[in-house]
Coordinates of all heavy atoms in Angstrom, one line a residue:
M12 N 65.1 134.1 32.2 CA 66.5 134.1 32.4 C 66.7 134.3 33.9 O 66.3 135.5 34.3 CB 67.2 135.1 31.4 CG 68.7 135.1 31.6 SD 69.5 136.0 30.4 CE 69.6 135.0 29.0
N13 N 67.4 133.5 34.6 CA 67.6 133.8 36.0 C 68.9 134.5 36.3 O 69.7 134.9 35.3 CB 67.6 132.4 36.7 CG 68.7 131.6 36.3 OD1 69.6 131.9 35.7 ND2 68.6 130.2 36.7
H14 N 69.2 134.8 37.4 CA 70.3 135.6 37.9 C 71.7 135.0 37.5 O 72.7 135.7 37.1 CB 70.3 136.1 39.3 CG 70.5 135.0 40.2 ND1 69.6 134.1 40.5 CD2 71.6 134.8 41.0 CE1 70.1 133.2 41.4 NE2 71.4 133.6 41.7
L15 N 71.7 133.7 37.6 CA 73.1 133.1 37.3 C 73.3 133.2 35.8 O 74.5 133.4 35.3 CB 73.0 131.6 37.8 CG 73.2 131.4 39.3 CD1 73.0 129.9 39.5 CD2 74.4 131.9 39.8
Q16 N 72.4 133.0 35.0 CA 72.6 133.0 33.5 C 73.0 134.6 33.2 O 73.8 134.8 32.4 CB 71.4 132.8 32.8 CG 70.9 131.2 32.9 CD 69.7 130.9 32.2 OE1 68.8 131.8 32.0 NE2 69.5 129.6 31.8
K17 N 72.3 135.6 33.9 CA 72.6 137.0 33.5 C 74.2 137.3 34.1 O 74.8 138.0 33.4 CB 71.6 137.8 34.2 CG 70.3 137.8 33.7 CD 69.4 138.7 34.4 CE 68.0 138.6 33.9 NZ 67.0 139.4 34.7
L18 N 74.6 136.7 35.2 CA 75.9 136.9 35.6 C 76.9 136.3 34.7 O 78.0 136.7 34.4 CB 76.1 136.4 37.0 CG 75.6 137.2 38.2 CD1 75.8 136.5 39.5 CD2 76.4 138.5 38.3
G19 N 76.6 135.1 34.3 CA 77.5 134.4 33.3 C 77.6 135.2 32.0 O 78.7 135.3 31.4
L20 N 76.5 135.7 31.4 CA 76.5 136.3 30.2 C 77.2 137.7 30.3 O 78.0 138.1 29.4 CB 75.1 136.5 29.7 CG 74.5 135.4 29.0 CD1 73.0 135.7 28.7 CD2 75.2 135.0 27.8
A21 N 77.1 138.3 31.4 CA 77.7 139.6 31.8 C 79.2 139.3 31.8 O 80.1 140.1 31.3 CB 77.2 140.3 33.0
S22 N 79.6 138.2 32.4 CA 81.1 137.9 32.6 C 81.6 137.6 31.2 O 82.8 138.2 30.9 CB 81.3 136.7 33.4 OG 82.6 136.3 33.5
F23 N 81.0 136.8 30.4 CA 81.4 136.6 29.0 C 81.5 137.9 28.3 O 82.6 138.2 27.4 CB 80.5 135.6 28.2 CG 80.8 134.2 28.4 CD1 79.9 133.3 28.8 CD2 82.1 133.6 28.1 CE1 80.1 131.9 28.8 CE2 82.4 132.4 28.3 CZ 81.3 131.5 28.6
F24 N 80.6 138.8 28.4 CA 80.6 140.1 27.7 C 81.9 140.8 28.0 O 82.6 141.4 27.2 CB 79.3 140.9 28.0 CG 79.4 142.3 27.5 CD1 79.2 142.3 26.1 CD2 79.5 143.4 28.3 CE1 79.1 143.8 25.6 CE2 79.5 144.7 27.8 CZ 79.3 144.8 26.3
F25 N 82.2 141.1 29.4 CA 83.3 141.9 29.8 C 84.6 141.1 29.5 O 85.6 141.9 29.1 CB 83.2 142.1 31.3 CG 82.4 143.3 31.7 CD1 81.0 143.1 32.3 CD2 82.7 144.6 31.3 CE1 80.2 144.1 32.5 CE2 81.7 145.7 31.5 CZ 80.6 145.3 32.2
L26 N 84.7 139.9 29.4 CA 86.0 139.2 29.0 C 86.2 139.4 27.5 O 87.3 139.7 27.1 CB 85.9 137.8 29.4 CG 86.0 137.4 30.8 CD1 85.7 135.9 31.0 CD2 87.3 137.7 31.5
G27 N 85.0 139.3 26.8 CA 85.1 139.5 25.3 C 85.5 140.9 25.0 O 86.2 141.3 24.0
L28 N 84.9 141.9 25.8 CA 85.1 143.3 25.6 C 86.6 143.6 25.9 O 87.3 144.5 25.2 CB 84.3 144.1 26.4 CG 84.2 145.7 26.3 CD1 83.7 146.0 24.9 CD2 83.3 146.2 27.3
G29 N 87.3 143.0 26.8 CA 88.7 143.2 27.2 C 89.5 142.7 26.0 O 90.5 143.3 25.6
I30 N 89.2 141.6 25.4 CA 89.9 141.1 24.3 C 89.7 141.9 23.1 O 90.7 142.3 22.4 CB 89.4 139.6 24.0 CG1 89.8 138.6 25.1 CG2 90.0 139.2 22.7 CD1 89.2 137.2 24.9
A31 N 88.5 142.5 22.8 CA 88.3 143.3 21.7 C 89.0 144.7 21.9 O 89.5 145.2 21.0 CB 86.8 143.5 21.5
S32 N 88.9 145.2 23.0 CA 89.6 146.5 23.3 C 91.1 146.4 23.2 O 91.8 147.4 22.8 CB 89.1 147.1 24.7 OG 89.8 146.3 25.6
G33 N 91.7 145.3 23.4 CA 93.1 145.1 23.4 C 93.6 144.7 21.9 O 94.7 145.0 21.5
A34 N 92.5 144.3 21.1 CA 92.8 143.8 19.7 C 92.6 145.0 18.7 O 93.0 145.0 17.6 CB 92.1 142.6 19.2
V35 N 91.8 146.0 19.1 CA 91.5 147.2 18.2 C 92.8 147.9 17.9 O 93.5 148.2 18.8 CB 90.4 148.0 18.9 CG1 90.2 149.3 18.0 CG2 89.1 147.3 19.0
P36 N 93.0 148.3 16.7 CA 94.2 148.9 16.4 C 94.0 150.5 17.0 O 92.9 151.0 17.2 CB 94.2 149.3 14.8 CG 93.4 148.1 14.4 CD 92.3 147.9 15.5
Q37 N 95.2 151.0 17.4 CA 95.3 152.3 18.1 C 94.6 153.4 17.2 O 94.0 154.4 17.6 CB 96.6 152.7 18.4 CG 97.3 151.7 19.4 CD 98.7 152.0 19.6 OE1 99.2 153.0 19.1 NE2 99.5 151.2 20.3
S38 N 95.0 153.3 15.8 CA 94.4 154.4 15.0 C 92.9 154.4 14.9 O 92.3 155.3 14.6 CB 95.1 154.2 13.6 OG 94.6 153.0 13.0
T39 N 92.3 153.2 15.0 CA 90.9 153.1 14.9 C 90.2 153.7 16.2 O 89.2 154.5 16.0 CB 90.5 151.7 14.8 OG1 91.0 151.2 13.7 CG2 88.9 151.6 14.6
A40 N 90.7 153.4 17.4 CA 90.0 153.8 18.6 C 90.5 155.2 19.0 O 89.8 156.0 19.6 CB 90.4 152.8 19.7
G41 N 91.7 155.6 18.6 CA 92.2 156.9 19.0 C 92.7 156.9 20.3 O 92.9 158.0 20.9
W42 N 93.1 155.8 20.9 CA 93.5 155.6 22.2 C 95.0 155.6 22.3 O 95.7 155.1 21.3 CB 93.1 154.4 22.9 CG 91.6 154.4 23.2 CD1 90.7 155.5 23.1 CD2 90.8 153.3 23.6 NE1 89.4 155.0 23.5 CE2 89.4 153.6 23.7 CE3 91.2 151.9 23.6 CZ2 88.5 152.7 23.9 CZ3 90.1 151.0 24.0 CH2 88.8 151.5 24.1
S43 N 95.6 156.1 23.3 CA 97.1 155.7 23.5 C 97.3 154.3 24.0 O 96.3 153.6 24.4 CB 97.6 156.7 24.5 OG 97.1 156.4 25.8
P44 N 98.4 153.7 23.9 CA 98.7 152.3 24.2 C 98.3 152.2 25.7 O 97.8 151.1 26.2 CB 100.1 152.0 24.0 CG 100.6 153.1 22.9 CD 99.6 154.2 23.1
Q45 N 98.7 153.2 26.5 CA 98.4 153.0 28.0 C 96.9 152.9 28.2 O 96.4 152.3 29.1 CB 98.9 154.2 28.8 CG 100.5 154.2 28.8 CD 101.1 154.9 27.5 OE1 100.4 155.6 26.8 NE2 102.3 154.7 27.3
T46 N 96.1 153.8 27.6 CA 94.7 153.8 27.7 C 94.1 152.5 27.2 O 93.2 151.9 27.9 CB 93.9 154.9 26.9 OG1 94.6 156.2 27.2 CG2 92.6 155.0 27.1
A47 N 94.5 151.8 26.1 CA 94.0 150.6 25.7 C 94.3 149.5 26.7 O 93.4 148.8 26.9 CB 94.6 150.3 24.2
V48 N 95.5 149.5 27.3 CA 95.8 148.4 28.3 C 94.9 148.6 29.6 O 94.5 147.7 30.2 CB 97.4 148.7 28.6 CG1 97.6 147.8 29.9 CG2 98.1 148.1 27.6
A49 N 94.7 150.0 29.9 CA 93.9 150.3 31.2 C 92.5 149.7 30.9 O 91.9 149.1 31.8 CB 94.0 151.7 31.5
V50 N 91.9 150.0 29.8 CA 90.5 149.7 29.5 C 90.5 148.1 29.3 O 89.5 147.5 30.0 CB 90.1 150.3 28.2 CG1 88.8 149.5 27.7 CG2 90.0 151.7 28.2
A51 N 91.4 147.4 28.8 CA 91.4 145.9 28.7 C 91.5 145.4 30.2 O 90.8 144.4 30.4 CB 92.6 145.6 27.7
L52 N 92.5 145.8 31.0 CA 92.6 145.3 32.3 C 91.4 145.5 33.2 O 91.0 144.7 33.9 CB 93.8 145.9 33.0 CG 95.1 145.4 32.4 CD1 96.3 146.1 33.1 CD2 95.3 143.9 32.6
I53 N 90.7 146.7 32.9 CA 89.4 146.9 33.8 C 88.4 146.0 33.3 O 87.6 145.4 34.2 CB 89.0 148.4 33.5 CG1 90.0 149.4 34.3 CG2 87.6 148.7 34.1 CD1 89.9 150.8 34.1
C54 N 88.2 145.8 32.1 CA 87.2 144.9 31.6 C 87.6 143.4 32.0 O 86.5 142.6 32.5 CB 87.2 145.0 29.9 SG 86.4 146.3 29.4
Y55 N 88.8 143.0 31.9 CA 89.2 141.6 32.4 C 88.9 141.5 33.9 O 88.4 140.5 34.4 CB 90.7 141.4 32.2 CG 91.1 141.2 30.8 CD1 92.3 141.7 30.4 CD2 90.2 140.5 29.9 CE1 92.8 141.5 29.1 CE2 90.7 140.4 28.7 CZ 91.9 140.9 28.1 OH 92.3 140.6 26.9
G56 N 89.2 142.5 34.7 CA 88.9 142.5 36.2 C 87.4 142.2 36.4 O 87.1 141.5 37.4
I57 N 86.7 143.1 35.8 CA 85.1 143.1 35.9 C 84.7 141.6 35.7 O 83.9 141.1 36.2 CB 84.4 144.2 35.2 CG1 84.7 145.6 35.8 CG2 83.0 144.0 35.2 CD1 84.3 146.8 35.0
G58 N 85.1 141.3 34.3 CA 84.7 139.8 34.0 C 85.1 138.7 34.9 O 84.4 137.8 35.2
L59 N 86.3 138.9 35.4 CA 86.7 137.9 36.4 C 85.9 137.9 37.8 O 85.5 136.8 38.2 CB 88.3 138.1 36.7 CG 88.9 136.9 37.6 CD1 88.8 135.6 37.0 CD2 90.3 137.3 37.9
V60 N 85.6 139.1 38.3 CA 84.9 139.2 39.5 C 83.4 138.6 39.2 O 82.9 137.8 40.0 CB 84.9 140.7 39.9 CG1 83.7 141.0 40.9 CG2 86.1 141.0 40.4
L61 N 82.8 139.0 38.1 CA 81.5 138.4 37.8 C 81.5 136.9 37.6 O 80.6 136.2 38.0 CB 81.0 139.0 36.4 CG 80.6 140.6 36.6 CD1 80.1 141.0 35.2 CD2 79.4 140.6 37.5
A62 N 82.7 136.3 37.0 CA 82.7 134.8 36.8 C 83.0 134.3 38.2 O 82.3 133.1 38.4 CB 84.0 134.6 35.9
L63 N 83.6 134.8 39.1 CA 83.9 134.3 40.5 C 82.5 134.3 41.2 O 82.1 133.2 41.9 CB 84.9 135.0 41.2 CG 86.3 134.8 40.8 CD1 87.2 135.8 41.5 CD2 86.7 133.3 41.1
I64 N 81.8 135.4 41.1 CA 80.5 135.5 41.8 C 79.4 134.4 41.2 O 78.8 133.7 42.0 CB 79.9 136.9 41.7 CG1 80.7 137.9 42.5 CG2 78.4 136.9 42.0 CD1 80.3 139.3 42.2
A65 N 79.3 134.3 39.9 CA 78.5 133.4 39.2 C 78.9 131.9 39.7 O 78.1 131.1 39.9 CB 78.5 133.5 37.7
F66 N 80.2 131.6 39.7 CA 80.6 130.2 39.9 C 80.2 129.9 41.4 O 79.7 128.8 41.7 CB 82.1 130.1 39.7 CG 82.7 128.7 40.0 CD1 82.5 127.8 39.1 CD2 83.4 128.4 41.2 CE1 82.9 126.4 39.4 CE2 83.8 127.2 41.4 CZ 83.5 126.2 40.5
M67 N 80.6 130.9 42.3 CA 80.4 130.5 43.8 C 78.8 130.5 44.0 O 78.4 129.6 44.8 CB 81.0 131.6 44.6 CG 82.5 131.6 44.6 SD 83.2 130.1 44.9 CE 82.8 129.8 46.6
Q68 N 78.0 131.2 43.4 CA 76.6 131.0 43.5 C 76.0 129.8 42.9 O 74.9 129.2 43.3 CB 75.8 132.3 43.1 CG 76.0 133.5 43.9 CD 75.2 134.6 43.5 OE1 74.6 134.6 42.4 NE2 75.4 135.7 44.2
S69 N 76.5 129.2 41.9 CA 76.1 128.1 41.3 C 76.5 126.7 42.1 O 75.9 125.7 41.8 CB 76.7 128.0 39.9 OG 78.2 127.5 39.9
R70 N 77.3 126.9 43.0 CA 77.8 125.8 43.9 C 77.0 125.6 45.2 O 77.4 124.8 45.9 CB 79.3 125.9 44.1 CG 80.2 126.2 43.0 CD 80.7 124.9 42.4 NE 81.4 124.2 43.5 CZ 81.7 122.9 43.2 NH1 81.3 122.1 42.3 NH2 82.3 122.1 44.2
K71 N 75.9 126.3 45.4 CA 75.2 126.3 46.6 C 74.3 125.1 46.9 O 73.4 125.1 47.7 CB 74.5 127.7 46.8 CG 75.3 128.8 47.0 CD 74.6 130.0 47.5 CE 75.7 131.1 47.9 NZ 74.9 132.3 48.3
G72 N 74.3 124.1 46.0 CA 73.5 122.9 46.1 C 72.0 122.9 45.5 O 71.4 122.1 45.7
Q73 N 71.7 124.1 44.8 CA 70.4 124.1 44.2 C 70.5 123.3 42.8 O 71.5 123.2 42.3 CB 70.1 125.6 44.0 CG 71.1 126.3 43.1 CD 70.8 127.7 43.3 OE1 69.9 128.2 43.9 NE2 71.6 128.6 42.5
S74 N 69.5 122.8 42.5 CA 69.3 122.1 41.2 C 69.2 123.0 40.1 O 68.3 123.9 40.1 CB 68.1 121.1 41.2 OG 66.9 121.7 41.4
L75 N 70.2 122.9 39.1 CA 70.2 123.9 38.0 C 70.2 123.1 36.6 O 70.6 122.0 36.6 CB 71.5 124.6 38.1 CG 71.8 125.6 39.2 CD1 73.2 126.1 39.2 CD2 70.8 126.6 39.4
N76 N 69.5 123.6 35.7 CA 69.4 123.1 34.3 C 70.8 123.2 33.7 O 71.6 124.0 34.2 CB 68.3 123.6 33.5 CG 68.4 125.1 33.4 OD1 69.3 125.8 33.7 ND2 67.3 125.7 32.7
G77 N 71.0 122.6 32.6 CA 72.3 122.5 31.9 C 72.7 124.0 31.4 O 74.0 124.3 31.6
P78 N 72.0 124.7 30.7 CA 72.4 126.0 30.2 C 72.8 126.9 31.4 O 73.7 127.7 31.3 CB 71.2 126.6 29.5 CG 70.4 125.4 29.1 CD 70.5 124.4 30.1
T79 N 72.0 126.9 32.5 CA 72.4 127.7 33.7 C 73.7 127.3 34.2 O 74.6 128.2 34.6 CB 71.3 127.7 34.7 OG1 70.0 128.1 34.1 CG2 71.6 128.5 35.9
K80 N 74.0 126.0 34.4 CA 75.4 125.6 34.9 C 76.4 126.0 34.0 O 77.4 126.4 34.4 CB 75.3 124.0 35.1 CG 74.6 123.5 36.3 CD 74.8 122.0 36.3 CE 74.1 121.5 37.5 NZ 74.3 120.1 37.5
F81 N 76.2 125.8 32.8 CA 77.2 126.3 31.6 C 77.5 127.7 31.8 O 78.6 128.2 31.9 CB 76.8 125.9 30.3 CG 77.7 126.4 29.2 CD1 79.0 125.7 29.0 CD2 77.4 127.6 28.5 CE1 79.9 126.2 28.1 CE2 78.3 128.0 27.5 CZ 79.6 127.3 27.3
L82 N 76.5 128.7 31.7 CA 76.6 130.0 31.8 C 77.3 130.5 33.1 O 77.9 131.5 33.2 CB 75.4 130.8 31.5 CG 75.0 130.7 30.0 CD1 73.6 131.3 29.9 CD2 75.9 131.4 29.1
A83 N 77.0 129.8 34.1 CA 77.6 130.2 35.5 C 79.0 129.7 35.7 O 79.8 130.3 36.4 CB 76.6 129.7 36.6
R84 N 79.4 128.6 35.2 CA 80.7 128.0 35.4 C 81.7 128.2 34.3 O 82.9 128.1 34.4 CB 80.5 126.5 35.8 CG 79.7 126.4 37.1 CD 79.5 124.9 37.5 NE 78.7 124.8 38.7 CZ 78.2 123.5 39.0 NH1 78.5 122.5 38.4 NH2 77.4 123.6 40.1
A85 N 81.2 128.4 33.1 CA 82.2 128.3 32.0 C 83.1 129.5 32.0 O 84.2 129.3 31.7 CB 81.4 128.3 30.7
P86 N 82.7 130.8 32.4 CA 83.7 131.8 32.3 C 84.8 131.6 33.1 O 86.0 131.9 32.6 CB 82.9 133.0 32.7 CG 81.4 132.7 32.4 CD 81.3 131.3 32.7
L87 N 84.6 131.2 34.3 CA 85.8 130.8 35.2 C 86.7 129.7 34.7 O 87.8 129.9 34.8 CB 85.3 130.6 36.5 CG 86.4 130.5 37.8 CD1 87.1 131.9 37.8 CD2 85.9 130.1 39.0
A88 N 86.1 128.8 34.1 CA 86.9 127.7 33.5 C 87.6 128.2 32.4 O 88.8 127.8 32.3 CB 85.9 126.6 33.2
L89 N 87.0 129.0 31.6 CA 87.7 129.6 30.4 C 89.0 130.3 30.8 O 90.1 130.3 30.2 CB 86.8 130.4 29.6 CG 87.3 131.0 28.3 CD1 87.6 130.1 27.3 CD2 86.3 132.0 27.8
V90 N 88.7 131.3 31.8 CA 89.8 132.1 32.3 C 91.0 131.1 32.9 O 92.1 131.3 32.6 CB 89.4 132.9 33.5 CG1 90.5 133.6 34.2 CG2 88.5 134.0 33.0
A91 N 90.6 130.2 33.7 CA 91.6 129.1 34.2 C 92.5 128.4 33.0 O 93.6 128.3 33.1 CB 90.9 128.1 35.1
I92 N 91.7 128.0 32.0 CA 92.4 127.4 30.9 C 93.4 128.3 30.2 O 94.4 127.9 29.8 CB 91.3 126.8 29.9 CG1 90.6 125.7 30.5 CG2 91.9 126.4 28.6 CD1 89.4 125.2 29.7
V93 N 92.9 129.5 30.0 CA 93.7 130.4 29.3 C 95.0 130.9 30.1 O 96.2 130.9 29.6 CB 93.0 131.7 28.9 CG1 94.0 132.8 28.5 CG2 92.0 131.5 28.0
V94 N 94.9 130.9 31.4 CA 96.0 131.2 32.2 C 97.0 130.0 32.4 O 98.2 130.2 32.2 CB 95.5 131.5 33.7 CG1 96.6 131.5 34.6 CG2 94.7 132.9 33.8
L95 N 96.4 128.8 32.4 CA 97.4 127.6 32.3 C 98.1 127.4 31.1 O 99.3 127.1 31.0 CB 96.4 126.3 32.6 CG 96.0 126.1 34.0 CD1 95.0 124.9 34.1 CD2 97.2 125.9 35.0
I96 N 97.4 127.7 29.9 CA 98.1 127.7 28.6 C 99.1 128.8 28.5 O 100.2 128.4 28.0 CB 97.1 127.7 27.5 CG1 96.2 126.4 27.5 CG2 97.7 127.9 26.1 CD1 95.0 126.4 26.6
S97 N 98.8 129.9 28.9 CA 99.7 131.0 28.7 C 100.9 131.0 29.6 O 101.9 131.4 29.3 CB 99.0 132.4 28.9 OG 98.6 132.5 30.2
S98 N 100.7 130.3 30.7 CA 101.9 130.2 31.7 C 102.8 129.0 31.3 O 103.9 129.0 31.6 CB 101.5 129.8 33.1 OG 100.7 128.7 33.2
S99 N 102.3 128.0 30.5 CA 103.1 127.0 30.0 C 103.9 127.2 28.8 O 104.8 126.6 28.4 CB 102.3 125.7 29.8 OG 101.5 126.0 28.7
V100 N 103.5 128.2 28.0 CA 104.2 128.8 26.9 C 105.3 129.5 27.1 O 105.3 130.6 27.8 CB 103.2 129.5 25.9 CG1 103.9 130.0 24.6 CG2 102.0 128.6 25.6
P101 N 106.6 129.2 26.7 CA 107.8 129.8 27.0 C 107.9 131.2 26.4 O 107.4 131.5 25.4 CB 108.9 129.0 26.6 CG 108.2 128.0 25.6 CD 106.9 128.0 25.8

């Protein structure tokens, strides 16, 4: 597993962790609403930074196989699609 695949998987992990931490009921985690929002935003931020790093490194002209391209470029595409959909919903 090369570094681009690891960065892409880490990005997916932190984006998923942000979703999971925001979806967990407060009584289960024992967090206040402010703590849950803070944890989710931190996870989203880390995931977005890792997605940007992986995407930019995958564009350097090296020949990559299919799974590496997917894992390096998909997290940023997923974030872009979610932002576009959520901004168009009234």
Side-chain angles (χ1 to χ4, degrees):
M12 182 175 267
N13 64 21
H14 71 284
L15 286 176
Q16 290 175 338
K17 290 177 185 176
L18 278 173
L20 284 175
S22 177
F23 272 129
F24 174 75
F25 279 107
L26 291 172
L28 190 63
I30 291 171
S32 67
V35 172
Q37 297 170 7
S38 61
T39 305
W42 295 341
S43 67
Q45 293 85 10
T46 305
V48 168
V50 169
L52 288 177
I53 289 170
C54 290
Y55 290 145
I57 293 171
L59 182 60
V60 168
L61 289 174
L63 287 170
I64 291 170
F66 182 78
M67 294 307 291
Q68 287 184 357
S69 73
R70 306 270 304 163
K71 289 191 175 179
Q73 55 196 1
S74 61
L75 302 172
N76 59 3
T79 302
K80 279 185 184 179
F81 175 76
L82 287 173
R84 296 179 183 173
L87 188 62
L89 182 67
V90 169
I92 289 168
V93 168
V94 168
L95 286 172
I96 290 172
S97 65
S98 67
S99 66
V100 175

